[in-house]
Amino acid sequence: MLLQRLRYRFDNVMARGTPALIGVLAVACCVLVVLNAVLLLLLAPAGVSAGDGGGSRLWSGFLRVISPAVIARDQGSAPFLAVAALMAFGGIFLMSTLIPVISAGLQNQLARLRRGRSAVVESGHTVVLGWSPHVHAVLSELVEANRNQRRACVTILAEQDRPEMEAAIRERVGHTATTRVVCRTGDPTDPVDIAIVNPSGARSIIVIPPEGDDPDIAVVKSLLAVGSCQESPGRGEVGAPVIVAAVQEAQNLSVARLAGGPTCHVISAQGFISRLMVQMSLQCGLSAVYTGLLDFEGDEIYMQPQPELVGRTFGETLTAYRTSCVIGLMDASGRVRLNPRHDTVLRAQDQIVAISEDDDTVLLSETVPVVDETVISPPDVPERPGRQVLMVGWSRHAPDIVRQLRTQLPAGSRVDVIADTDLSGPEKLLTGAGDGLPEVSFRRADTTRRDVLESAGLGAYDHVMVICPNERDPRASDARTLTTLLKLRDLAARHSYGFSLATEIADDRNRALVRAAKADDFIVSSELVSLCLAQLSENPHLGQVFDELFGPQGVQISLRPMAGYVRTGADTDFYSVTAAAARCGEVALGHRIHSRAQLPPDYGVLINPDKAQRVRYTTGDQIIILSAGTHGDV
């Protein structure tokens, strides 16, 4: 019975791993040291024991355990030599056991580190939960945003192996400059695993929607898990990390916001992409404008206090900056208003919302600008002729696209839909007689067949949109989309059709395969959602800006002929262009030069130009303006 108990306790000690094994060997080593000391005291002949003190004998015993070769110098009686040899064999056994135990422990620890399960000891870092192709776009933007910081850190928690994540980042993102990327392996919906990346000490947390079925469920579970991990300061308090996430379905938006709490900003990818598809397809060149506003490579949106402007109107602030473009105001409560009434007076607690190269470049002009009244054209109300729009393909957010087209297109417009799915349900939902909205027709056909596209009468359309179908495999969806896109491009080139072409793809990795040859032949993809998430993680106040820009109601960015604001052929500057737009209640964001409209990467689009630089605009040049939500300036 006693033997069983000892064996049971020994098994429990061994189950504790390498530290327990080392402890057992250390105890055995101490026992051997004491026995060797006793051996020297009782049996050693005179001169063998180094000194008469107990400490000297213990030291000699310790040397005999760790270096059994010491017994080669021993001389004495046969019993002494026999016991010394036995003790030497005990030391050899201990040392030969200790070395493999330590080696195995080190290997296990290295394997644990490679698995990415060690705790992250960081503060002020950015946490990314989840793994999908969006991660690379988000990480690239964060690296660009952190270039002015000496030691920035981004921590990624996903269910992939750590070496695989690190290899993918090196391949897709490349050099991360001043940003350290720390990868950890774990379940982004498990609070225990999320605690590894120290979410309470993070500056911001980005929840990436995963690939596969029901990504919104995973996002909601991650938001709930993050909430359960929050320590002091509590959720909603000052100092709590900013949480940003994206859901696919608009119907899950409210649930995700409830799960995320007051510091969470959730984007509806469905509504976001739908609004972008509509706006970008109806206005050539607008894709370059939005991309320039959302990425960190060019100018960005900042909020800055400007006490020198207190008491002046918003309209007067528009020409107060040479290298920055004022687009709105933020009051003391944090409420953002884009393009407010131009007679709005700035108060002491107000901050300006401006587009600038950096936060330290939002500086007032050193000189008072002089507006050249002779170059300003009289206000011109643009005509809104009816437009013919063709949608090729169908997806879960296609109904939102049709609804927005019906509200934004002027009278006399028409929307035709060709898709290889059953459209009887959407046809009943989206068509209506006598409501004054553009007519919508539906036709079922294989959109990858050339004869179907040829019979559609492409020459009668002003705009064509290729919608990516909803399939579980993004590669299969993009294969159909690219097939349709290539055939549409070929038909347009052969017959000199003048329609604009907007295409949506599911996988951003396929973007390079169909990179646009001109600004009105762009690709709209979920990469813009990733850029939006990265922007919000750096500046949560941009959530209100994006809500106004991309929401169904709010301000709208438009491209209009420059001739409606300033005289073409005249030598002018952007101060005069800004003043001309302000008289129409609009904000001038930049211009698009027609002579460079076919030159990548910006296709002639320039946001926030130097207002003092002299320019001679031509007939084809356009102004980029921010106006009230008219939903129809196309």
Side-chain angles (χ1 to χ4, degrees):
M1 188 68 177
L2 178 60
L3 182 61
Q4 290 181 350
R5 288 181 176 274
L6 291 176
R7 183 178 301 171
Y8 173 72
R9 292 182 178 179
F10 181 78
D11 289 343
N12 289 338
V13 171
M14 294 297 100
R16 295 179 182 179
T18 301
L21 290 174
I22 294 177
V24 170
L25 293 176
V27 171
C29 181
C30 291
V31 172
L32 274 181
V33 168
V34 173
L35 290 177
N36 272 283
V38 173
L39 170 68
L40 293 175
L41 177 65
L42 299 179
L43 301 178
V48 174
S49 179
D52 297 327
S56 298
R57 289 189 178 90
L58 287 174
W59 175 250
S60 298
F62 176 71
L63 292 178
R64 288 169 178 270
V65 172
I66 65 173
S67 181
V70 173
I71 68 172
R73 300 192 299 269
D74 288 346
Q75 297 178 358
S77 61
F80 169 72
L81 294 177
V83 175
L86 182 63
M87 293 295 175
F89 281 117
I92 293 173
F93 174 78
L94 284 178
M95 293 300 105
S96 62
T97 305
L98 181 62
I99 292 175
V101 167
I102 294 176
S103 176
L106 289 176
Q107 290 180 359
N108 292 335
Q109 184 64 22
L110 291 176
R112 179 175 176 270
L113 292 176
R114 284 194 296 268
R115 289 196 301 269
R117 296 294 297 173
S118 59
V120 174
V121 185
E122 296 282 351
S123 60
H125 57 299
T126 299
V127 173
V128 178
L129 299 179
W131 184 267
S132 73
H134 304 305
V135 170
H136 308 298
V138 170
L139 186 56
S140 297
E141 293 303 309
L142 293 177
V143 169
E144 189 67 29
N146 293 332
R147 286 190 181 275
N148 59 349
Q149 301 183 22
R150 294 185 59 184
R151 291 181 59 83
C153 178
V154 177
T155 302
I156 302 175
L157 177 70
E159 293 184 294
Q160 275 69 21
D161 291 335
R162 178 181 177 181
E164 293 180 3
M165 290 189 286
E166 292 174 344
I169 291 171
R170 286 192 298 268
E171 179 181 351
R172 298 292 301 277
V173 180
H175 183 56
T176 58
T178 60
T179 301
R180 291 179 295 108
V181 181
V182 179
C183 297
R184 291 293 182 265
T185 300
D187 185 358
T189 64
D190 187 351
V192 176
D193 289 352
I194 293 178
I196 295 175
V197 294
N198 189 22
S200 299
R203 179 184 57 172
S204 59
I205 300 173
I206 304 175
V207 181
I208 301 294
E211 296 181 297
D213 298 334
D214 296 327
D216 292 353
I217 299 300
V219 171
V220 171
K221 291 174 65 177
S222 293
L223 292 175
L224 291 172
V226 169
S228 66
C229 290
Q230 293 298 310
E231 300 174 357
S232 180
R235 301 177 71 184
E237 298 181 6
V238 177
V242 176
I243 306 173
V244 297
V247 293
Q248 296 292 335
E249 303 291 342
Q251 61 186 7
N252 297 324
L253 187 61
S254 59
V255 177
R257 286 175 174 171
L258 289 174
T263 62
C264 181
H265 301 269
V266 185
I267 301 172
S268 169
Q270 174 179 325
F272 184 77
I273 294 298
S274 299
R275 181 86 189 270
L276 289 178
M277 281 292 292
V278 171
Q279 291 189 3
M280 293 181 181
S281 63
L282 298 183
Q283 299 193 69
C284 301
L286 198 57
S287 59
V289 176
Y290 280 128
T291 302
L293 289 177
L294 290 176
D295 64 22
F296 286 100
E297 294 184 1
D299 292 355
E300 303 160 33
I301 301 175
Y302 297 97
M303 288 77 174
Q304 290 282 1
Q306 203 71 68
E308 296 87 349
L309 297 178
V310 173
R312 300 174 66 176
T313 64
F314 174 76
E316 293 173 334
T317 66
L318 298 178
T319 56
Y321 298 86
R322 174 177 174 176
T323 59
S324 300
C325 176
V326 179
I327 61 174
L329 299 174
M330 184 174 72
D331 59 23
S333 65
R335 178 194 173 202
V336 175
R337 293 172 294 165
L338 297 185
N339 190 27
R341 288 177 55 92
H342 286 212
D343 58 359
T344 303
V345 178
L346 271 72
R347 296 170 295 184
Q349 301 299 324
D350 289 343
Q351 298 186 37
I352 63 166
V353 182
I355 300 174
S356 190
E357 183 179 358
D358 208 339
D359 55 356
D360 56 0
T361 60
V362 185
L363 303 173
L364 292 170
S365 300
E366 298 179 355
T367 60
V368 179
V370 177
V371 176
D372 187 358
E373 299 287 345
T374 62
V375 301
I376 297 180
S377 303
D380 180 24
V381 179
E383 297 182 1
R384 299 178 61 202
R387 298 296 183 93
Q388 309 300 313
V389 180
L390 174 64
M391 286 180 56
V392 181
W394 195 258
S395 68
R396 57 176 172 266
H397 56 262
D400 288 341
I401 295 178
V402 176
R403 292 189 186 97
Q404 293 191 38
L405 285 172
R406 298 188 77 192
T407 58
Q408 295 193 30
L409 288 172
S413 300
R414 180 181 178 86
V415 178
D416 296 328
V417 180
I418 302 177
D420 55 0
T421 58
D422 184 11
L423 299 174
S424 57
E427 185 174 5
K428 296 178 182 179
L429 180 65
L430 297 173
T431 56
D435 54 7
L437 298 176
E439 184 180 354
V440 182
S441 68
F442 295 86
R443 174 189 170 194
R444 184 171 184 177
D446 187 355
T447 57
T448 61
R449 293 180 53 179
R450 188 181 184 92
D451 59 332
V452 171
L453 299 176
E454 288 178 335
S455 64
L458 297 175
Y461 293 100
D462 302 295
H463 314 285
V464 176
M465 289 188 291
V466 182
I467 308 300
C468 184
N470 297 130
E471 296 186 11
R472 294 185 178 182
D473 186 3
R475 293 174 294 182
S477 300
D478 285 348
R480 295 184 58 86
T481 301
L482 299 182
T483 300
T484 302
L485 173 63
L486 292 176
K487 292 178 180 178
L488 285 171
R489 283 182 174 177
D490 182 61
L491 290 173
R494 286 176 178 270
H495 302 285
S496 300
Y497 294 145
F499 57 77
S500 64
L501 184 59
T503 307
E504 177 194 5
I505 59 175
D507 193 340
D508 289 324
R509 289 172 289 188
N510 293 324
R511 187 180 185 123
L513 300 178
V514 289
R515 186 168 299 277
K518 53 184 179 178
D520 60 342
D521 192 11
F522 49 80
I523 307 298
V524 176
S525 68
S526 54
E527 181 185 12
L528 292 176
V529 178
S530 303
L531 299 182
C532 193
L533 290 176
Q535 288 276 358
L536 287 175
S537 69
E538 294 294 311
N539 185 358
H541 292 296
L542 291 177
Q544 298 183 60
V545 176
F546 295 153
D547 286 342
E548 284 210 52
L549 284 177
F550 306 120
Q553 304 294 331
V555 298
Q556 183 169 337
I557 298 178
S558 306
L559 285 85
R560 296 178 180 171
M562 186 65 75
Y565 294 83
V566 296
R567 291 190 296 108
T568 58
D571 188 33
T572 184
D573 56 27
F574 207 73
Y575 281 117
S576 300
V577 176
T578 301
R583 295 180 184 183
C584 301
E586 302 163 348
V587 175
L589 303 181
H591 55 222
R592 184 191 186 198
I593 304 302
H594 179 70
S595 60
R596 298 199 298 269
Q598 305 303 324
L599 301 178
D602 54 10
Y603 301 97
V605 171
L606 178 60
I607 301 294
N608 185 34
D610 186 346
K611 294 183 177 65
Q613 185 175 359
R614 309 297 294 185
V615 183
R616 191 180 298 271
Y617 293 107
T618 62
T619 304
D621 295 339
Q622 294 175 297
I623 180 176
I624 306 170
I625 59 101
L626 182 70
S627 62
T630 57
H631 304 294
D633 289 325
V634 293

